[in-house]
Amino acid sequence: GAVVSQHPSRVICKSGTSVKIECRSLDFQATTMFWYRQFPKKSLMLMATSNEGSKATYEQGVEKDKFLINHASLTLSTLTVTSAHPEDSSFYICSARRTGEYYNEQFFGPGTRLTVL
Amino acid sequence: TQLLEQSPQFLSIQEGENLTVYCNSSSVFSSLQWYRQEPGEGPVLLVTVVTGGEVKKLKRLTFQFGDARKDSSLHITAAQPGDTGLYLCAGDTGTASKLTFGTGTRLQVTL
């Protein structure tokens, strides 16, 4: 399978600060990456689709000014949680889509545990 | 809204038992992927099925895609503690780039 890295793996910050999470596809180029949020013992909730060279597409209910996404290259997307508050504490996971001749596959990063104090 | 319902939601079995997880939808998917996720980690892709009726095997895991490409199943033979985790199915309609994720099945295999 393909490799997707995520950094940092764990971050603790004070309320009101901003946190940046990086997602990199290490062995393939990804024009499309995705950011998910996962609550304890729940499935994945898609937050936004990150498109290389263009604006991200946010899911309904996700504040785009709160969760800033930048996809500056074919291997890197970043998610910045601005003015973080305790309710933003969660497990954030990115994925990168690898385009194939007949079908596409998504590969996930290891996730980032964000704790806002 | 497309929904992928997985059943059962939770399964606790003993080592050596067999089990089947189901993933059902009213939507047709161009492909469907199965993932396993362990606590504190990202999901790991297990398999992608594409053709209606397709069966794929990965050691003790057998994946099947329904003939109409609306449903899928995962069968595990002789489960082991290492199979413990959250199993997620995810469907790709092919018209949008994003996947539709199932509700998840949490499997616990004990000695």
Side-chain angles (χ1 to χ4, degrees), chain A residues 4-29:
Chain A
V4 176
S5 70
Q6 215 173 312
H7 178 79
S9 59
R10 189 177 294 267
V11 57
I12 301 173
C13 69
K14 292 182 179 180
S15 185
T17 61
S18 294
V19 175
K20 180 186 282 189
I21 304 170
E22 292 187 349
C23 178
R24 295 181 185 273
S25 57
L26 299 184
D27 52 0
F28 68 99
Q29 293 183 331

Side-chain angles (χ1 to χ4, degrees), chain B residues 58-111:
Chain B
L58 183 64
K59 297 182 180 179
R60 293 177 293 99
L61 279 60
T62 301
F63 304 85
Q64 184 163 8
F65 203 12
D67 291 341
R69 291 184 286 131
K70 293 182 179 181
D71 53 84
S72 181
S73 64
L74 158 60
H75 183 79
I76 300 179
T77 304
Q80 298 178 0
D83 296 327
T84 294
L86 176 66
Y87 288 82
L88 295 163
C89 62
D92 185 351
T93 61
T95 56
S97 62
K98 58 186 179 182
L99 294 177
T100 299
F101 273 88
T103 47
T105 296
R106 192 165 296 277
L107 171 65
Q108 183 174 331
V109 183
T110 56
L111 293 171

